[in-house]
Structures are given as C-alpha cells and as structure tokens.
C-alpha cells in the first residue's frame, strides 16, 4: 500500500504543483488560452485555486515523508478531490463536456490517495 500511495501521490503532486503554480504566477492573458472560464471569475479566485492546489500537492508529500502530522496527507487528498468536484461543476455548467475527463481522472486519483493515506492513520 505504501508504494501505491507514493505513486499516486507523486502523480498528483507533479500535476498540481505545475497547475497550481501556473495559476499563481501567470497573467490572465497567458492563462486565457488554457482556461476559457478565466474571464468569468476574479483573478484573486484563480490565484486562490492555484494556492490550494500547490498546498494540496505539498500536503500529499511532506507530512508522510517527514512523519509530522501524516493525517494532513488525508486532508490534502480530500481537499484536492473537492477542488476537482468544483472543476467538474464549473465545466458542466459551461457545457464543456469534452474537458471533464481530466477532472474525473484527477478526482478518482485523489480519492484513491485519500483511501491509501488511511493505511497509516
């Protein structure tokens, strides 16, 4: 189970460090080609989502790695699942059904990470 957790957590962490970091530092103009919804929300909201994604990625890796508060890995996985539920809701409300596959995949991975994180609690 430990190896499975680290594989799933690593995939999620790499994805969310990139995705969240991009949302945190790029301008609205540079994000617009990747995110058609960016003009419908304040930029502070986009930055907030990016921050949550980066924190979630770090939460998946650092607590179990250091042994300090490993329950935070479970919290991070659940938080990332919630982010994906929000992403799904946004894309469905905009009728962007072609792009929800990635959201569903990331939601499933976050749920698996949460389940695997319970093995050391």
């Amino acid at each position: 189970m430990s190896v499975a957790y680290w594989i799933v957590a690593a995939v999620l962490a790499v994805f969310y460090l990139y995705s969240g970091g991009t949302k945190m530092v790029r301008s609205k103009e540079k994000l617009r080609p990747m995110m058609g919804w960016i003009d419908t929300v304040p930029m502070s909201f986009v930055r907030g989502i990016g921050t949550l994604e980066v924190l979630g990625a770090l939460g998946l890796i650092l607590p179990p790695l250091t042994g300090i508060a490993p329950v935070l890995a479970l919290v991070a996985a659940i938080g990332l699942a919630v982010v994906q539920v929000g992403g799904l809701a946004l894309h469905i409300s905009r009728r962007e059904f072609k792009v929800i596959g990635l959201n569903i995949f990331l939601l499933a991975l976050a749920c698996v990470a949460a389940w695997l994180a319970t093995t050391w609690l």
Side-chain angles (χ1 to χ4, degrees), residues 72-101:
L72 292 177
L74 174 61
V75 173
I78 292 169
L80 291 173
V82 171
V83 167
Q84 286 311 310
V85 169
L88 275 167
L90 174 80
H91 291 303
I92 290 170
S93 72
R94 293 176 47 88
R95 306 187 66 74
E96 298 171 338
F97 301 113
K98 292 181 181 177
V99 298
I100 64 172

